[in-house]
Amino acid sequence: MSRLTAPSGAELAEPRRVRVVRGPSRPRGGSRTSNAAPRASGGWTPWLCLAPALLVLGGLLVYPVYQLGLISFLEYTQAQVSGGEPTRFRGLANYTELFADDQFWQVLLATVGFAAACVVCTLAVGCALAVLLTRVRAVPRLALLLAALGAWATPTVTGSTVWLFLFDPDFGPVNRLLGIGDFSWTYGRYSAFLLVLLEVVWCSFPFVMVTVYAGIRAVPAEILEAAALDGASQWRIWRSVLAPVLRPILVIVTVQSVIWDFKVFTQIYVMTGGGGIAGQNLVLNVYAYQKAFASSQYSLGSAIGVVTLLVLLAITLGYLRLLRRQGEEL
C-alpha cells in the first residue's frame, strides 16, 4: 500500500505554477475588421433609403433658394414681372442698397432683440414648468401636459387672433381684469412687442417643457435626494445639480428656439397689422414681405431673405455641430 505523506514546509511555501491554455489568438483590431465588411458592402444602402426624402427636400428647398438668390442679383420689380421691361443683372447693387438703408439695420437690431427676449422667456417658462411637473401629482401633471400640448397644437393664425381678442381694448377681458380701461396694446411699439412676445412664448414653451422634463426624469433620484438631504434649496438643486446634467439638452432647445423666434412672421403680421404703426414693429421676415409684395421691390425682398437665410444657416450649422458632439447620427 502506498503511504500518504504530508507536504513539507518548503513545498507549501513554493507557489504552484498553473499552466494557462490560451485559445486561438485573435488579430488586433478584429472587431473593426469584422465591422468593416458590412459597412463596405452596405455603403449605398442608407443613401438609397434617404433618396426619396432627399428628392422631396431638393424640390421644395433647393430650387426656391436658388430662385431667391438669383432674384437678389437682378433688377426685378413689377415692371419685370408684367413683362414691360427686360430683366437686368445688377450684381451686388441690391445688397449695397440694402446695407445702406438705415431702416434695415434698425429692423435687424429689433429682430435680434425680440428673438433674444423670446428665447429667454421661453426657456424660463419651459424649465420652470418642467420642474413643476416633477413636483405635482399625476392628475395635475396630466392636466398641465394636455394644456401645454393644446397650446403647441394651436395654429399660429388662430392663436394670434385669440390673443388679440383677449387684449382687445373694448371687448377683451384682460384690460378689465387689470383695470386699465381702453388701453390699446398694439398702439405703442414696446407694448405691441410685449403682446407678441407673450403669444410666442405661449405657443413655444411646451417644446422646452416636455424636452427638459424628459431630461429631468432621466436624472437618478439618488442625486436629487442627496442634494436635498444636504440642505440645498430647489433653486440650488437646479443650478448646481440639474443644469450641469441637462446642459446638452438645454443647449439644443436654446438653439432650436433661436431659429424659431428669429424667423417669426405670422404673429407679428397678424397682431400688429403688418408691422405696426409706421413700421415700428417690423422684423426681418415682415420687412422682406413688405419690400417684395407691398412695394413690388422683389429684388430687395429677396436680398433680405438671403441675409436671413445666411444667419439661420449659421445657427443651424452650430446646431448640427452640437448634435455631432453628442454622438447622434445625422
Side-chain angles (χ1 to χ4, degrees), residues 5-188:
T5 60
S8 62
E11 293 177 348
L12 291 175
E14 182 180 359
R16 295 184 178 181
R17 297 180 178 178
V18 181
R19 183 179 181 185
V20 179
V21 180
R22 298 182 178 179
S25 61
R26 296 175 60 186
R28 294 183 179 179
S31 59
R32 296 182 180 178
T33 304
S34 60
N35 293 334
R39 289 182 181 178
S41 61
W44 290 99
T45 303
W47 292 104
L48 291 177
C49 295
L50 291 174
L54 292 177
L55 290 175
V56 174
L57 291 176
L60 295 178
L61 295 178
V62 175
Y63 182 74
V65 170
Y66 164 75
Q67 287 292 332
L68 182 71
L70 178 62
I71 294 176
S72 67
F73 292 104
L74 303 176
E75 181 181 358
Y76 207 75
T77 60
Q78 187 62 39
Q80 282 75 30
V81 173
S82 58
E85 297 181 7
T87 303
R88 294 184 301 174
F89 181 77
R90 298 192 63 191
L92 298 177
N94 292 321
Y95 292 95
T96 304
E97 180 181 352
L98 180 65
F99 294 150
D101 188 2
D102 294 336
Q103 187 181 15
F104 168 74
W105 296 107
Q106 295 174 1
V107 172
L108 179 61
L109 182 62
T111 304
V112 173
F114 177 74
C118 290
V119 170
V120 172
C121 294
T122 301
L123 291 177
V125 174
C127 293
L129 292 179
V131 175
L132 179 63
L133 287 176
T134 62
R135 299 288 185 266
V136 297
R137 297 181 180 273
V139 175
R141 184 187 306 120
L142 179 61
L144 181 56
L145 285 173
L146 291 177
L149 293 179
W152 175 261
T154 302
T156 307
V157 176
T158 303
S160 301
T161 305
V162 171
W163 275 80
L164 274 180
F165 169 75
L166 293 176
F167 288 84
D168 187 84
D170 298 323
F171 305 102
V174 175
N175 284 12
R176 297 180 182 179
L177 292 176
L178 297 179
I180 55 178
D182 57 351
F183 175 75
S184 178
W185 291 81
T186 58
Y187 183 79

Side-chain angles (χ1 to χ4, degrees), residues 298-313:
Y298 300 101
S299 300
L300 286 178
S302 300
I304 300 172
V306 170
V307 172
T308 306
L309 176 64
L310 292 177
V311 174
L312 292 178
L313 182 60

